[in-house]
């Protein structure tokens, strides 16, 4: 891929580009991400490099000496965690990732406590953060704000990397990275992430994690994607168009029970009623057939895994939590390792970690 520079393109033509044509503007010369905005930035080679780095970090972090080594790596860097939308896992795992690497952090979690409350624009706020920090990790309800921020800062005197930690209903690329890492780890001793069926269940229309993971899975050979939802919550056409273009086998259905025995991984999601256009809209949709409990567990293959980006509501019964196929707690912890790897790669210290791993483990 030939890199392009954001300073050479105005915002309007940049924002009008299809995502795959934006990618060359977001990467560093060595093929690693500078800004992480879209799942589509990651091809198989980069995913392989990133998941291996996450595993190396996990190994290194097991000892005190290893933790001290990691802690020194980028202790000269500061990261701003700008989360103007609620989050537990993404916020805490990014915070932990920064702590592991020695990156110091600042945070805004409620814009009522920042000068946005006095009418300052989001653009001016992030411009302010760039005066004090070396990276912005941002979650926002607005689709496209992370992208605009990346373009704006790249065209300022203080260009710093932006990591999209969830933008509107659109993208959650680092969630998809941790999901891929979980799938790769789960199947690494039984043939790898290839020739598998991944079944997505729930609110697929408004779940940004599903959109991003569907894109990333197209990098792996022969991964069939099945979308199970009540009709109003079924996956959007742009995701299906991407699968058609790439020749990926897929199917949409509302028959959850029939799809369980064919699944290698089931990816449950909650109803995203915070996006309802009118109050109570989602509660009128019958989602009771899209729940996973002990009855569904009996239909699940012995090697298959049950995933969920969390938070959950009633779509997964707590009665299945202790089954070894219930992967969602490990999936959540994997988020810390893959986000540590992404930050390390963005700041260019991945080779030092690799070297330490090779010499000490
Ligand atoms: N999966 C996820 O994004 O969780 P949080 O909303 O708690 O960050």
């Amino acid at each position: 891929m030939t890199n392009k520079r954001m300073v050479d393109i105005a915002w309007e033509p940049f924002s009008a580009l299809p995502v795959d044509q934006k990618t060359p503007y977001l990467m560093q010369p060595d093929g690693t991400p500078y800004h992480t905005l879209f799942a589509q930035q990651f091809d198989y080679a980069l995913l392989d490099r990133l998941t291996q780095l996450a595993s190396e970090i996990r190994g290194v972090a097991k000892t005190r000496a290893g933790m001290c080594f990691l802690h020194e790596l980028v202790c000269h860097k500061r990261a701003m965690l700008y989360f103007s939308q609620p989050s537990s896992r993404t916020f805490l795992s990014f915070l932990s990732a920064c702590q592991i690497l020695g990156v110091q952090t600042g945070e805004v979690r409620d814009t009522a406590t920042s000068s946005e409350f006095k009418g300052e624009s989001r653009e001016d706020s992030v411009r302010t953060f760039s005066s004090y920090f070396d990276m912005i990790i941002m979650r926002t309800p607005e689709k496209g704000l992370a992208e605009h921020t990346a373009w704006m800062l790249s065209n300022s005197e203080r260009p710093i990397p932006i990591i999209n930690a969830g933008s509107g209903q659109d993208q959650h690329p680092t969630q998809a990275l941790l999901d891929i890492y979980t799938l790769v780890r789960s199947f690494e001793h039984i043939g790898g992430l290839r020739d598998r069926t991944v079944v997505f269940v729930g609110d697929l229309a408004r779940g940004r994690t599903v959109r991003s993971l569907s894109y990333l899975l197209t990098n792996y050979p022969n991964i069939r994607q099945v979308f199970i939802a009540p009709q109003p919550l079924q996956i959007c056409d742009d995701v299906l168009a991407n699968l058609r273009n790439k020749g990926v086998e897929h199917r949409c259905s509302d028959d959850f029970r029939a799809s369980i025995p064919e699944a290698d991984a089931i990816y449950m999601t909650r109803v995203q009623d915070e996006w309802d256009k009118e109050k109570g809209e989602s509660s009128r949709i019958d989602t009771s057939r899209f729940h996973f409990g002990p009855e569904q567990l009996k239909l699940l293959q012995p090697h298959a895994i049950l995933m969920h980006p969390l938070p959950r509501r009633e779509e997964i019964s707590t009665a299945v939590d202790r089954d070894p196929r219930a992967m969602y707690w490990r999936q959540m912890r994997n988020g810390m390792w893959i986000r540590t790897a992404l930050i390390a790669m963005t700041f260019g210290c991945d080779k030092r970690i690799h070297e330490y791993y090779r010499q000490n483990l």
Side-chain angles (χ1 to χ4, degrees), residues 256-257 259-263 266 291-304 306 319-320 323 325:
F256 183 27
R257 193 182 162 80
S259 71
I260 297 172
E262 67 179 309
I266 295 185
H291 292 176
F292 196 103
E295 280 308 306
Q296 288 73 22
L297 197 58
K298 288 180 199 156
L299 302 172
L300 194 64
Q301 299 191 72
H303 74 272
L306 181 63
V320 306
D323 189 278
R325 291 165 290 181

Side-chain angles (χ1 to χ4, degrees), residues 83 86-91 139 165 172 175 178 208-209 270 309-311 339:
F83 277 59
S87 167
S88 296
R89 278 146 287 271
T90 313
F91 177 83
R139 167 172 287 197
H172 196 347
Q175 175 71 43
L178 78 89
R208 57 194 176 193
T209 65
R270 74 179 167 87
L310 303 176
R339 286 171 172 135

Side-chain angles (χ1 to χ4, degrees), residues 27-28 35 53 74 112 168 191 198 203-204 211 237 245 339 342:
M27 309 304 276
Q28 307 190 78
H35 299 297
L53 181 63
V74 263
V198 177
D203 187 346
L204 310 182
R211 302 175 66 77
D237 284 342
N245 288 342
R339 286 171 172 135
L342 180 66

Side-chain angles (χ1 to χ4, degrees), residues 61-170:
K62 284 188 200 307
T63 64
R64 189 176 192 280
M67 272 304 252
C68 290
F69 162 76
L70 291 170
H71 199 70
E72 284 284 292
L73 280 174
V74 263
C75 58
H76 58 300
K77 298 287 188 186
R78 295 182 299 275
M80 178 65 189
L81 296 161
Y82 176 51
F83 277 59
S84 62
Q85 203 186 23
S87 167
S88 296
R89 278 146 287 271
T90 313
F91 177 83
L92 290 172
S93 59
F94 266 120
L95 180 66
S96 303
C98 288
Q99 288 169 344
I100 288 168
L101 293 171
V103 177
Q104 296 175 65
T105 56
E107 64 183 64
V108 166
R109 301 206 63 186
D110 179 356
T111 52
T113 64
S114 80
S115 281
E116 281 184 47
F117 188 70
K118 295 181 268 185
E120 185 169 49
S121 68
R122 289 267 150 101
E123 282 76 10
D124 283 2
S125 281
V126 290
R127 187 88 188 238
T128 304
F129 303 150
S130 76
S131 299
Y132 307 127
F133 294 93
D134 303 297
M135 168 182 277
I136 300 175
I137 301 164
M138 61 190 289
R139 167 172 287 197
T140 68
E142 293 101 333
K143 179 180 175 190
L145 183 65
E147 185 182 335
H148 187 250
T149 303
W151 178 87
M152 182 184 72
L153 294 183
S154 288
N155 281 280
S156 76
E157 317 78 64
R158 278 279 303 158
I160 60 169
I162 302 297
I163 296 183
N164 178 1
S167 54
Q169 297 166 40
D170 181 36

Side-chain angles (χ1 to χ4, degrees), residues 4-19:
K4 295 184 175 176
R5 298 175 337 141
M6 289 250 212
V7 287
D8 294 333
I9 186 165
W11 168 244
E12 285 76 15
F14 175 74
S15 66
L17 291 173
V19 169

Side-chain angles (χ1 to χ4, degrees), residues 27-44:
M27 309 304 276
Q28 307 190 78
D30 67 351
T32 59
Y34 180 71
H35 299 297
T36 296
L37 304 181
F38 309 110
Q40 292 93 321
Q41 283 175 251
F42 295 83
D43 60 13
Y44 179 83

Side-chain angles (χ1 to χ4, degrees), residues 36 39 42 87-91 93-94 139 163-166 171-183 207-214 216 267-269 307-311 328 331-335 338-339 342:
T36 296
F42 295 83
S87 167
S88 296
R89 278 146 287 271
T90 313
F91 177 83
S93 59
F94 266 120
R139 167 172 287 197
I163 296 183
N164 178 1
Q171 284 260 356
H172 196 347
T174 64
Q175 175 71 43
L177 293 174
L178 78 89
D179 294 337
I180 286 289
Y181 186 44
T182 301
L183 288 159
R208 57 194 176 193
T209 65
V210 172
R211 302 175 66 77
S212 292
L213 181 55
S214 173
L216 280 196
Y267 193 95
M268 301 295 295
T269 62
M307 301 171 71
H308 194 307
L310 303 176
Y328 27 94
Q331 179 185 355
M332 186 167 78
R333 188 164 164 83
N334 284 338
I338 203 83
R339 286 171 172 135
L342 180 66

